[in-house]
Amino acid sequence: MILLTRLSGSAFVLNADLIERLDSTPDTVVTLVDGKKYVVAEGLVEVVDQVRAWRGSIIAAGAAPVTGVDPHATH
């Protein structure tokens, strides 16, 4: 999930897996796979950077070693 800002200033979180396309017209327009569009305050490169960081964090979490210790267990 990435944090974006509407032109009105309100923030929202978007599932980056649903992004089909980004356009700069000059505003940044995020088009989702279902055709819905969002015009956001962030620049094109900033949105791409957020998507890369989010996907990288998912990959890193999946590559973390499994220790067999339940971090939620109480002793």
Side-chain angles (χ1 to χ4, degrees):
M1 305 288 275
I2 60 172
L3 181 63
L4 298 173
T5 311
R6 291 181 176 90
L7 293 183
S8 65
S10 63
F12 69 103
V13 178
L14 179 70
N15 181 345
D17 286 336
L18 299 179
I19 296 174
E20 178 182 327
R21 185 177 72 234
L22 296 171
D23 297 296
S24 183
T25 64
D27 293 325
T28 304
V29 180
V30 180
T31 303
L32 305 184
V33 294
D34 66 359
K36 186 162 179 108
K37 295 179 185 237
Y38 293 95
V39 180
V40 298
E42 290 78 11
L44 192 74
V45 173
E46 185 178 350
V47 176
V48 170
D49 288 344
Q50 283 194 51
V51 171
R52 284 182 178 154
W54 178 73
R55 289 203 174 135
S57 72
I58 298 300
I59 292 168
V66 177
T67 62
V69 175
D70 182 358
H72 302 293
T74 57
H75 300 280

